[in-house]
Amino acid sequence: MILLLASLAMAACPDIDTEVERATAALVSGDFATARTALQAAESSFGCAKASNTQLAHYWLVDGAEAHLQGQVARARASLAAARVIAPDVFDERLGPDVRATWAAAQPDGRGTLLIEPPAAALVNGDGVTVWPVTLPAANHVVQVLSADGKVRYGRLIRIGPGEDAVVETGLGRELLPVADEAAPAEKKGKKSPALLILAGIAAAGAGGLAGGALAQGSVIETSPDVDALDAAFGRQQAFGYGSIALAGASAIALTLHFVIPAR
């Protein structure tokens, strides 16, 4: 049941790649309503799923393209500038030469600063930030605060104007936030080994299988022809049940360790 609820919770969060691709296809076909709906869904994912540099660059590119094609000059410039700041080599040729020319010319109008309250380690455009305030180009940005297990606790897009000192209240309790390192600048972490995630998955699958086995013994117990068969079925049910609990615990521990142990 726990695994089922977790799966349903994950399914409720839009997938940024899927929604950005849906928006791109809609723009190419001239369906601006669908493009805007898909972009809004992608934006809502900022509050529930960690986004990478490349994913955000694609999002801002398509958002800026949609604004450009709709004649919204200021929004197009801000989004396309954000896309180029994050990943200047990311462009989708399906958007056409007119959008490409506008994207190539898009530049931030200046710089501003961003401070989150309470201060905490966070992601800005997919990069780790621990020292606040941080100076950023005057453009659009995405801020995400993660919990120790890697889940997004807070996420939203921020628009910073030239010379603006933006302050964002996350509404999170200071005691629940990852602590910002006031002495050291942010640095990118290396990739983590997937071994613990694989182990967690295997253990979770085993727990599910044993839980199913324990449930199956219920019908065996009800139809047992004698006491010996009843005792045997009951013993198997207990063994399967305890085994399922143990493997579920092992899965949770492996998953926790994956997020707690730093990358090398």
Side-chain angles (χ1 to χ4, degrees):
M1 179 61 71
I2 293 175
L3 294 175
L4 176 60
L5 292 175
S7 298
L8 291 174
M10 291 177 64
C13 185
D15 181 79
I16 184 172
D17 294 325
T18 300
E19 297 302 335
V20 169
E21 175 56 30
R22 184 161 70 99
T24 304
L27 282 183
V28 172
S29 65
D31 185 352
F32 294 109
T34 297
R36 176 87 321 246
T37 299
L39 287 168
Q40 289 172 343
E43 180 183 336
S44 69
S45 75
F46 300 157
C48 53
K50 178 180 174 182
S52 69
N53 304 99
T54 303
Q55 288 174 322
L56 291 173
H58 276 112
Y59 168 79
W60 289 125
L61 172 64
V62 179
D63 184 76
E66 186 261 346
H68 173 73
L69 294 172
Q70 294 273 55
Q72 300 173 11
V73 178
R75 184 166 72 86
R77 183 187 304 116
S79 293
L80 293 175
R84 295 200 69 224
V85 165
I86 297 172
D89 57 343
V90 171
F91 186 81
D92 191 329
E93 297 297 340
R94 290 177 295 172
L95 298 174
D98 185 36
V99 173
R100 172 179 267 281
T102 306
W103 165 80
Q107 296 289 341
D109 294 328
R111 300 182 74 80
T113 66
L114 173 66
L115 170 68
I116 65 171
E117 287 288 354
L123 299 176
V124 177
N125 301 326
D127 290 330
V129 173
T130 58
V131 178
W132 302 94
V134 61
T135 300
L136 298 168
N140 297 331
H141 305 276
V142 172
V143 179
Q144 295 182 306
V145 180
L146 309 183
S147 59
D149 61 1
K151 294 181 180 178
V152 176
R153 295 288 309 283
Y154 174 89
R156 60 169 290 191
L157 68 83
I158 307 294
R159 293 183 172 89
I160 297 180
E164 181 181 1
D165 296 319
V167 178
V168 174
E169 298 283 348
T170 65
L172 299 175
R174 186 182 297 270
E175 71 280 0
L176 301 177
L177 293 173
V179 179
D181 183 355
E182 300 295 341
E187 60 180 39
K188 293 184 179 180
K189 295 183 179 181
K191 294 183 178 179
K192 289 187 177 183
S193 168
L196 286 172
L197 280 180
I198 294 173
L199 179 60
I202 293 173
L210 288 177
L215 290 174
Q217 294 307 307
S219 60
V220 177
I221 291 174
E222 292 177 357
T223 58
S224 295
D226 51 47
V227 174
D228 290 339
L230 177 65
D231 288 342
F234 181 69
R236 287 193 299 271
Q237 186 180 59
Q238 284 190 313
F240 287 152
Y242 289 135
S244 176
I245 293 172
L247 285 177
S251 175
I253 291 172
L255 187 62
T256 300
L257 288 175
H258 170 77
F259 291 109
V260 171
I261 296 175
R264 296 182 178 179

